[in-house]
Amino acid sequence: MGQDSSFRLVIKSRAQIYKSWVAQVKFQTRFPAEWLSENPFVKPSPAQHTNENVGTTQTKTSSVMVDAGTIRTFEDFLKVHGLLLAAAGIPQSLYRKLFEKLSIENFDGGNYFQVEPVDDGRQRRLVLTNSDSMGKESNIFLVDHALSFRLSDAPKQLQEVPGLVERMASLMCVDIDLDSEDEDAEAYESEDIKLSVMEIVEREFEKVKKEGPGAVVWLELEDLDIDDDVFISLDLPTKFPDLIALSLCNNKLKFTETITKEIVKFKHLRALWLNNNSIIQTSDGHVADDIIHNFPKLEILNSFFTRKYTGWALGFCGGIYDKENPGCGHDDNHSLNGLTSLDLSNRGIHSLHKGFSPDSMPSLSYLNLRGNPLDDQSISNILDILKTFTSLHAIEVDIPGPLGDSAIKIAESLPNLSLLNGVNTTKVVESGKNVIDSMLLPRLPEWTSGEPLIDRVLNAMWLYLMSYRLSDEEKIDETSIWYVMDELGSALRHSDEPNFRVSPFLYLPQGKLESAVSFTVLWPTKNIEYGDECTRDYLSGIGEKKQRSARLTAWFHTPQKYFIKEYKTFWENLKSIKSSPVKKASSTSSLVRSDGCPLRVYTDIPQVEEILTHPGFVITSDPKVADIIWTGMQVDEETRKAVGLNDQQCINQFPFEACLVMKHHLAETVQKAYGSPEWFQPTYNLETQLTQFIGDYYVRENKGDDNLWILKPWNMARTIDTTVTGNLSAIIRLMETGPKICQKYIQSPALFKGKKFDLRYIVLVRSMDPLELFITDIFWVRLANNTYTLDKKSLFEYETHFTVMNYRGKLNHMNTPDFVKEFEQEHQVQWLEIHSRIKQMIRMVFESATLVHPEMQSPMARAIYGVDVMLDQSFKPKLLEVTYCPDCTRACKYDMEAIMGGGETIRARDFYNYVFGCLFLNETTHVTAL
C-alpha cells in the first residue's frame, strides 16, 4: 500500500459538513425535526432512542464536543479526540503511535502484510509477511477508505468517478468472467495417451486368464464414452465373474432394461457406481430399486449406502478398502479396529445398524454424519448408539437434522464429545448457540458473463462494506455513511476468534470539523507469527442474543434446513390465527365545559393554531389551563409532571398507540390478531425474526419466486433509511444502521400512467373501546416522479420507488377527483369498489389493536392518524403504515372535492374545524364512520 497519495480516493468533503461523529447510532425519534424547537414537550436531548416496550420512548445524548485549534502535540490530540478514541475501543497504549501515524498519514501496513488470492482468485486474504512475529496491541495501522457514500449515491459515484468501478471490481474480485473456459487447465488435464475401454478391459482380462477369476474384483471404467451397445459388447460378467466393485461413472449409458439385464449377472457385487449417466437422470429411481432387489450383497450404489451395508462399506469410507485392497468381499470387521476417522457424509444412510458399533471400531475418534437422513431410527436411539463410542471426541452433523434441532442438546447428550461441528462443546453450551457449523462456505458473489462491472460491484459490495453514522449536539444524521476499506483492509477475512480488530475513526488535524478525514484503524488483539492469516470478527460484540449465527448468513452459506424449518413453523402459527372482534355501540359523549365556554386548545402544531376557527374551540398558549392538548410529541408521565398537566385534560394520544405507529409493533399487532391477512405483506422484525426471514428468503429462492424486499426503520418517517433490495447479504447488513422490519416488496403494484403511487387516508379515533372510527371525506394521492421499473440500478432511485416527495424530490400535487377519474379510465375499474375495500381494511387495522392491546382505551384520548395504502395489480389494498399526528399540509393547503358523499368542495381552511368537531363534539361533517 505504501504512502502513495495517488492511491487514495477518499472523498474528504463528506466529512466536512458534520459537527461530530458517533458510530452506529441505532434509533431516531418518530417526530419531524421542525417540531423540536421551543416546545414544552421536547426533552433537552438531541437523539431520542426508542425503547422496545410498546408505547414508551427514552432519550439519550450521543454527541462529541470539539475544541478548535490545530493539533500540534499529543496532548492536543487527546483533548480533541479523547471520546472518539474510547468509542473506537483503541488501547490507550496505542494512542501515541496512532497520533504519530495520523500526523503524517503514514500508511505503513504494506511493510508488514501481504494480500494473497484464495478460492481461485475469488477472495483475498491478509498475511503477516515482514516480521517474525507481532505482539498483542504492539502496533496500530491506518487503513484508507477507497470509497465512501450514502447508499442512494452508490451507482452515481461508481459511474462518475474515473477508474473507481474498475478499482472496486478488482478489490472485490469480480473483474473476471466466471464461465470462461480455462484452456490451459484443459490442456493440462492429461498429457498421457488415454487408453480405450477395449484396451483397459483386455488388459484386466489378461490378469484373470493368468491368475484366475479372483485376480480382478475391482474394475473402474470411468469417463470412457461407454454407451449401451459398447457396454453389452464388453461382456464383463463373463470375463470378471467375481467382481465386487464396478465404477461406470461419467459414461453414456442410457436404457434402463438393457443395462439392468447385464448388471444383474454379477453375483458378488458390493459396490456399483453409475453416477453421471443418462440412465440415472431419466430413471425416476426404479433402476436403483431393481438393482438393489437383484443384488443381495450390494452395499453401495451410486455413492449411497443401501440398507444392506456392512463393515465393508464402512471400511471403504474409512479408506481401508479400495482397488488395491478390495477386502475380497468378506466382513472382516476386525480390520476396522484401528479406524480413527470415518467420513460418512452424504451417503444416504437410513440407520446405524449393528455393524456400526464400538466393538468393530473401538478407536473411532472423528465421525462425519452430515447429509444422511437416518430416518429409520429415533433421535434418542441414534444418540444412545453414539454414546457407546467412548473414544469419539469429534462429530459433524446437520443441525437441524436426525440428531435434533439444537446443538446444545446434542452436546449435552454426548458428554464425551470435545468438538461438535468443529466447535468446542463447552463453548457451544456457554454461548447458547442452537445451530453451529464449521463447514460454512463463503458467500462469493455471482454474476453472468458480460454483466456490467457496476452491477457486479453493487451486488458484491455487501461482503465488504462497513458503516458509521454522524451526530452532533443538535441531531443525529438521518442516513448512514457506508464505506469500503482499501485493498489491505478489505483482505481481512472473518474469524470467530480473530487476531485483529478494526474500527472507523474520524481525525480532525486542525481541531475543527472542516478538516475532518475518516480512516479505519487496525491493531492486533493476539500474538501472531510470520505467515499467519490476519482476521477480524465481522460481528464484533454481537452474540447469539443478537442473532449472531443468523447474521453470519450475510457472508457465509449457512444451513438452509434450519432456517426453512423455523420459517415454516412461524408461518404455520400465523395461518392458525383467527380472530373475530366484537362490535359495540358507540358511547363517547361530547366534551363540554361546565361554564359553557369554548374548549381551550394548546397545540405546538402551527397549522392547528392557524386554521382552527371552529367556534367551539379557542387557542391557549398555556398547556396547564388547556382542555385539549394537541401535540406532535409523545407525552409521558415525566413530561406531564414537568409541564403541569392533569388527568382531566384530553390529549391526542392513546396509551400504547405504538402498537400501531411503530412499524415493528404494527406488524406484531396485525399478526397476533389475524395471522397473515391478504392486505398485509409478509413482514419480519429483523431484530427478533431474522432466522424466520432467512427461511422465507430461501424458500422463495428455491422455488424461483421473486425475492424483492423493502427494509423500513422501526420508527422513522419520510422513508428515511428505507431500502429496496433482493440481496440477502444487503438485507442482513442493513440491520447495522438501526432496527428495521423487512417486508415483502409489492413488486407488481397498480400504476398510474406507469408510475407508482400510494394513498394517504386520515383516520379519526374517538374511542378504542368501543371502537369509534372515522375517515375524512378527503384523501390524497402521492405519486412517484419516475416511471416504475425493477432495473437493479433503479432500486437506488428514490423518485422511482418512493412516493413521499414533500421532503425530497419534486412534489407533483394532483387533485384527488382528477386522479380517480383518470385511474378509472386507465384501468377500467370502479373506484367505489376499491374505496369500499380500503375502508374495510382500515377498520380491521384498528380492530387488531383493540384485540391485542385493549389497554389502549382511555376516556381522555382522541387522536388523528395517517394510514398509507397501496394497491396491488389486482387493485386490492395493501397496508403500508400508520402514522401518528400525520402531516396534513395538503389538506390545509388545497380545497378538495369530496369523492364520496355529495361531491361538495371541502375548504382547506376548514380541515381542522371538522377534525376537532368530530373528535370532541361528536359532529359528522365531512367524515364517514367506519
Side-chain angles (χ1 to χ4, degrees), residues 263-264 266-267 269 291-298 308:
I263 290 176
V264 295
F266 295 104
K267 301 303 181 182
L269 209 60
I291 293 173
I292 293 172
H293 177 74
N294 286 282
F295 283 96
K297 294 184 178 181
L298 194 67
K308 305 170 184 177

Side-chain angles (χ1 to χ4, degrees), residues 733-837:
R733 297 297 312 281
L734 283 162
M735 293 173 63
E736 298 168 23
T737 63
K740 294 178 177 65
I741 63 165
C742 186
Q743 192 170 67
K744 185 66 192 67
Y745 191 57
I746 304 171
Q747 188 160 335
S748 300
L751 302 177
F752 179 69
K753 296 181 178 179
K755 298 177 180 179
K756 278 187 68 172
F757 69 90
D758 66 21
L759 307 166
R760 165 60 65 88
Y761 282 81
I762 300 301
V763 179
L764 312 180
V765 182
R766 193 186 288 165
S767 167
M768 291 299 293
D769 187 16
L771 184 60
E772 297 181 33
L773 204 62
F774 303 83
I775 59 170
T776 62
D777 287 346
I778 61 168
F779 62 92
W780 54 92
V781 60
R782 303 185 297 190
L783 294 163
N785 288 335
N786 297 341
T787 300
Y788 182 68
T789 175
L790 290 176
D791 177 77
K792 285 184 180 180
K793 286 190 284 294
S794 81
L795 300 180
F796 294 86
E797 296 172 356
Y798 181 86
E799 294 185 59
T800 299
H801 290 274
F802 299 101
T803 60
V804 181
M805 301 297 163
N806 307 49
Y807 308 99
R808 48 177 162 161
K810 179 182 177 182
L811 175 62
N812 293 317
H813 174 69
M814 185 174 189
N815 288 323
T816 306
D818 294 337
F819 164 78
V820 169
K821 180 179 179 181
E822 293 182 33
F823 187 84
E824 287 182 327
Q825 291 175 349
E826 179 181 356
H827 295 287
Q828 296 299 300
V829 294
Q830 293 295 317
W831 190 262
L832 183 62
E833 296 177 6
I834 295 172
H835 188 69
S836 176
R837 289 195 290 263

Side-chain angles (χ1 to χ4, degrees), residues 111-238:
N111 298 330
Y112 294 85
F113 309 103
Q114 182 172 317
V115 178
E116 296 180 350
V118 292
D119 293 325
D120 296 323
R122 298 189 61 194
Q123 271 195 331
R124 293 189 174 110
R125 68 172 188 163
L126 193 67
V127 178
L128 180 67
T129 57
N130 200 22
S131 176
D132 291 337
S133 64
M134 184 178 291
K136 175 182 177 181
E137 299 179 0
S138 62
N139 208 337
I140 192 165
F141 302 93
L142 300 185
V143 176
D144 205 352
H145 295 177
L147 172 65
S148 298
F149 58 90
R150 297 182 188 278
L151 198 53
S152 59
D153 296 333
K156 184 178 180 181
Q157 283 202 31
L158 290 169
Q159 288 172 335
E160 295 182 357
V161 178
L164 180 59
V165 69
E166 289 81 8
R167 182 186 179 190
M168 291 296 100
S170 176
L171 181 151
M172 298 174 187
C173 305
V174 296
D175 56 345
I176 58 175
D177 285 332
L178 290 179
D179 54 357
S180 62
E181 293 185 359
D182 190 342
E183 296 180 359
D184 292 337
E186 255 184 39
Y188 177 76
E189 187 175 297
S190 178
E191 297 181 0
D192 296 333
I193 298 175
K194 202 170 186 178
L195 295 177
S196 70
V197 62
M198 297 298 185
E199 291 171 325
I200 294 173
V201 171
E202 187 59 32
R203 182 188 65 190
E204 296 299 303
F205 188 46
E206 286 298 320
K207 293 181 183 179
V208 173
K209 289 191 289 186
K210 288 181 181 181
E211 304 174 25
V216 177
V217 295
W218 194 298
L219 187 61
E220 296 177 354
L221 301 175
E222 301 176 352
D223 198 18
L224 292 169
D225 295 329
I226 302 172
D227 61 17
D228 298 68
D229 292 337
V230 171
F231 180 66
I232 293 173
S233 69
L234 293 175
D235 193 21
L236 297 180
T238 301

